């Protein structure tokens, strides 16, 4: 018995070894970083958290207000033609937004169409819009309406025959709102600046008033410091 007394201590040695040397290491002695803690660390390295921009827009809410026929294509929003002189508008975002930068790309399928990029929208009587073709087939006008007044008179008109009337040519539209002031930019060039009291907050939107097809893509809204407020388009139901 004196020669085999150490056998009684064998179970204790086995338990101690299991604690110091995990079972995974025994099963995979040549694999580096296979312990649970190392595996977790590797997973975190291989799959970084998505950027804030993606998290912020993973699920956009439905429109604030909508009239007309709108649909989402593969990577763009499309305004379907339903007749000349038909009001179509889609607004989205937060009605309490104040200062922000709206940016979107757009193009139309034929010259002479009337369409607008909308900002600081609170209702159909109160909003700013940068309008293409509303006051002439080649005009671009910055228009602000309060209580329905002013929509028939442009606040600022830009030189014609410069940016409008080229079918299937994408243009980048930017609108910056600061206090009561607004600045419109087309393809990097400042084309109009204006101001109007009582138009100091509101959501954004898109608008058409003609029978052609207008396409929109790469829309985003950011705070003046660059923080993302909105990206993409609102959720539309299958029947929209």
């Amino acid at each position: 018995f004196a020669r085999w007394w150490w056998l009684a201590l064998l179970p204790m040695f086995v338990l101690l070894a299991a604690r110091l040397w995990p079972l995974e290491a025994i099963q995979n002695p040549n694999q580096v970083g296979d312990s649970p803690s190392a595996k977790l660390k590797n997973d975190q390295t291989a799959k970084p958290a998505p950027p804030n921009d993606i998290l912020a827009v993973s699920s956009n809410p439905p429109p604030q207000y909508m009239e007309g026929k709108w649909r989402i294509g593969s990577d763009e929003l499309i305004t379907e033609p339903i007749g000349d002189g038909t009001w179509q508008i889609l607004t989205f975002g937060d009605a309490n937004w104040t200062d922000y930068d709206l940016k979107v790309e757009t193009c139309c399928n034929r010259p002479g169409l009337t369409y607008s990029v909308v900002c600081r929208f609170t209702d159909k009587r109160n909003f700013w819009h940068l309008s293409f073709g509303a006051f002439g087939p080649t005009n671009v006008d910055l228009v602000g309406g309060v209580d329905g007044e002013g929509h028939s008179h442009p606040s600022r008109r830009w030189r014609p025959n410069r940016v409008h009337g080229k079918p299937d040519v994408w243009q980048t539209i930017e609108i910056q709102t600061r206090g009561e002031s607004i600045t419109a930019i087309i393809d990097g060039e400042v084309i109009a600046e204006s101001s109007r009291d009582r138009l100091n907050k509101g959501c954004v939107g898109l608008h058409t008033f003609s029978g052609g097809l207008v396409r929109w893509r790469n829309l985003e809204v950011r705070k003046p410091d660059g923080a993302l407020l909105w990206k993409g388009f609102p959720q539309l139901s299958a029947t929209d």
Side-chain angles (χ1 to χ4, degrees):
F1 176 78
R3 295 178 57 186
W4 305 104
W5 63 269
W6 56 272
L7 291 176
L9 301 177
L10 185 59
M12 183 174 64
F13 289 135
V14 172
L15 291 175
L16 181 60
R19 286 180 175 273
L20 297 177
W21 194 4
L23 181 60
E24 286 186 345
I26 299 174
Q27 294 174 339
N28 303 282
N30 297 321
Q31 187 169 349
V32 178
D34 202 38
S35 68
S37 59
K39 184 179 294 185
L40 177 61
K41 183 178 179 180
N42 290 338
D43 289 344
Q44 291 173 340
T45 302
K47 300 177 181 179
N52 291 335
D53 283 9
I54 295 176
L55 291 175
V57 300
S58 59
S59 180
N60 286 339
Q64 293 276 0
Y65 182 80
M66 184 177 71
E67 288 186 26
K69 189 175 181 181
W70 304 79
R71 65 179 175 87
I72 300 292
S74 59
D75 61 350
E76 60 190 30
L77 178 71
I78 300 171
T79 312
E80 297 281 8
I82 57 176
D84 288 332
T86 301
W87 173 281
Q88 299 193 84
I89 189 167
L90 182 75
T91 69
F92 43 92
D94 192 329
N96 292 313
W97 283 345
T98 55
D99 292 353
Y100 53 79
D101 297 340
L102 164 63
K103 184 177 182 180
V104 65
E105 298 174 24
T106 184
C107 76
C108 58
N109 69 336
R110 62 180 175 84
L113 297 185
T114 301
Y115 53 98
S116 304
V117 179
V118 175
C119 68
R120 287 191 170 172
F121 178 97
T122 55
D123 57 53
K124 288 178 64 174
R125 293 166 56 84
N126 297 276
F127 62 93
W128 278 104
H129 61 107
L130 181 65
S131 176
F132 293 78
F135 301 93
T138 60
N139 285 343
V140 179
D141 300 286
L142 184 59
V143 186
V146 175
D147 292 337
E149 298 181 0
H151 288 300
S152 60
H153 303 284
S155 302
R156 290 289 184 273
R157 171 164 290 169
W158 197 55
R159 296 182 299 274
N161 301 314
R162 288 283 299 279
V163 297
H164 189 250
K166 296 181 179 180
D168 300 319
V169 175
W170 287 98
Q171 296 174 306
T172 300
I173 312 302
E174 299 176 72
I175 299 180
Q176 300 174 349
T177 62
R178 302 290 188 274
E180 295 179 354
S181 300
I182 182 170
T183 301
I185 304 167
I186 299 178
D187 291 333
E189 182 178 357
V190 175
I191 61 100
E193 296 175 302
S194 188
S195 62
R196 189 107 194 242
D197 59 358
R198 296 174 58 190
L199 290 178
N200 53 16
K201 68 177 182 178
C203 63
V204 301
L206 307 167
H207 165 255
T208 68
F209 194 70
S210 57
L213 184 145
V214 183
R215 299 155 61 198
W216 319 82
R217 70 184 184 188
N218 297 331
L219 183 144
E220 64 180 28
V221 184
R222 293 183 180 271
K223 294 181 180 180
D225 64 4
L228 185 70
L229 292 172
W230 182 285
K231 188 173 184 179
F233 301 103
Q235 293 183 8
L236 300 179
S237 66
T239 58
D240 289 334

